[in-house]
Amino acid sequence: MRRRPGGRSAAVRRSVLDAVIQAVADDGPDALTIAGIAAAAGVHETTVYRRWGSAEQLLLDAMLDYSEDRIEAADLGSLREDLVDFALAIAGFLSSATGRALARAMIGTGAEAPVPAGRAEFWQRRFAVTEVIFRRAAERGEWPEDADAADVLETIVARTHFRLLLLGRPVGRDEAQRSVDDALAAVV
Amino acid sequence: MRRRPGGRSAAVRRSVLDAVIQAVADDGPDALTIAGIAAAAGVHETTVYRRWGSAEQLLLDAMLDYSEDRIEAADLGSLREDLVDFALAIAGFLSSATGRALARAMIGTGAEAPVPAGRAEFWQRRFAVTEVIFRRAAERGEWPEDADAADVLETIVARTHFRLLLLGRPVGRDEAQRSVDDALAAVV
């Protein structure tokens, strides 16, 4: 058997999380079950239960893992540029078939969807990625040390989602810059 | 037969649009078909085809009709108060089971959903309702005559949707005021 970084446990985690993303992209979140994921990933159902406990927890973990590589904090030398980059990363994520399917999964499509509980945590952790952006901006004197970044992030993320998911319109650099400038105008 | 205001044509329209809202609330937009709606409304399929042409057009018309009574432009004496009222009306709409089902329908839940084409038109027409708010604000000197209200509305509507649908958190007066103040800070 081939050795993988992190060993067998990490390999199981990888297979399971990949299977979750694939299942949500193919069939939506309503169809997600631990038994189905275990079968797709080729691992024992009890392994998945022991590690994740519920389909909801499994979905949250898979979404955090999937989005982690795709939405990162840039360091481009200015708060505005870093935030525009963040908005464009979210737009890129939502423009992919998988990203769009995951966003729909977050909203939930029916009473049975194993979704909502993890949503706030998902965004809390996505927003935490940007903390470093605001810390660096404060060091450069671009951002008040004691200001709350939450409203700024909420405006940027909300507008990007609204345009792509509700208006069905693309978000390019112009739209990203407008969201960022409007969001920053409220604070700086 | 009982006479109704608007006559038979208006009565048919009412039955059909009510049937669409009910069907989307019950089963989501994917299941929407002209044949199914005609049967539910008790009218001939050809009548529905002739009048609406497609399931997509039917859904757009039903959503505009449904939201028209629920999201109106208030006249409370200040731009801020009128916009807070607008944000709270949207929040109320999205907090109802039917409103939430309709918002999900707008996003589309699968490749087969008869949705997207009408989305931009829906929002264009919802935003048009607020034109009077900005016109009155300009007369009071609260709003620059030549400013574009679109970004302000987009921030307010996007943040209300984001909180309720993606974070799963309520939007009360405090949150509505924060969205409005942040949105207005970019312009006035």
Side-chain angles (χ1 to χ4, degrees), chain A residues 104 108 119 155 159 165, chain B residues 104 108 119 155 159 165 178:
Chain A
R104 283 174 185 154
R119 290 183 297 187
T155 292
R159 281 182 54 159
L165 298 181
Chain B
R104 284 175 185 153
R119 290 184 295 188
T155 293
R159 282 183 54 161
L165 297 182
R178 213 160 60 229

Side-chain angles (χ1 to χ4, degrees), chain A residues 102-185:
Chain A
L102 292 178
R104 283 174 185 154
M106 294 274 280
I107 292 169
T109 52
E112 307 302 319
V115 196
R119 290 183 297 187
E121 188 182 341
F122 175 81
W123 283 107
Q124 210 166 8
R125 288 176 61 174
R126 300 274 9 104
F127 283 3
V129 170
T130 66
E131 259 169 35
V132 61
I133 290 178
F134 290 92
R135 205 166 56 236
R136 283 191 308 249
E139 285 163 12
R140 285 190 301 258
E142 286 185 279
W143 177 256
E145 296 262 5
D146 56 349
D148 185 359
D151 275 353
V152 171
L153 291 169
E154 208 169 301
T155 292
I156 295 169
V157 172
R159 281 182 54 159
T160 307
H161 277 75
F162 183 73
R163 270 196 92 80
L164 282 161
L165 298 181
L166 281 146
L167 293 184
R169 285 183 179 155
V171 172
R173 185 161 286 274
D174 280 0
E175 289 78 24
Q177 282 175 344
R178 212 159 60 230
S179 294
V180 169
D181 289 342
D182 285 355
L184 287 176

Side-chain angles (χ1 to χ4, degrees), chain A residues 17-28:
Chain A
L17 297 187
D18 287 349
V20 172
I21 296 296
Q22 194 60 50
V24 172
D26 289 346
D27 307 314

Side-chain angles (χ1 to χ4, degrees), chain A residues 119, chain B residues 87 90-95 100 159-171:
Chain A
R119 290 183 297 187
Chain B
I90 291 172
F93 179 75
L94 289 178
S95 302
R100 197 173 281 251
R159 282 183 54 161
T160 307
H161 278 75
F162 183 72
R163 271 196 91 81
L164 281 160
L165 297 182
L166 281 146
L167 294 183
R169 286 182 179 155
V171 172

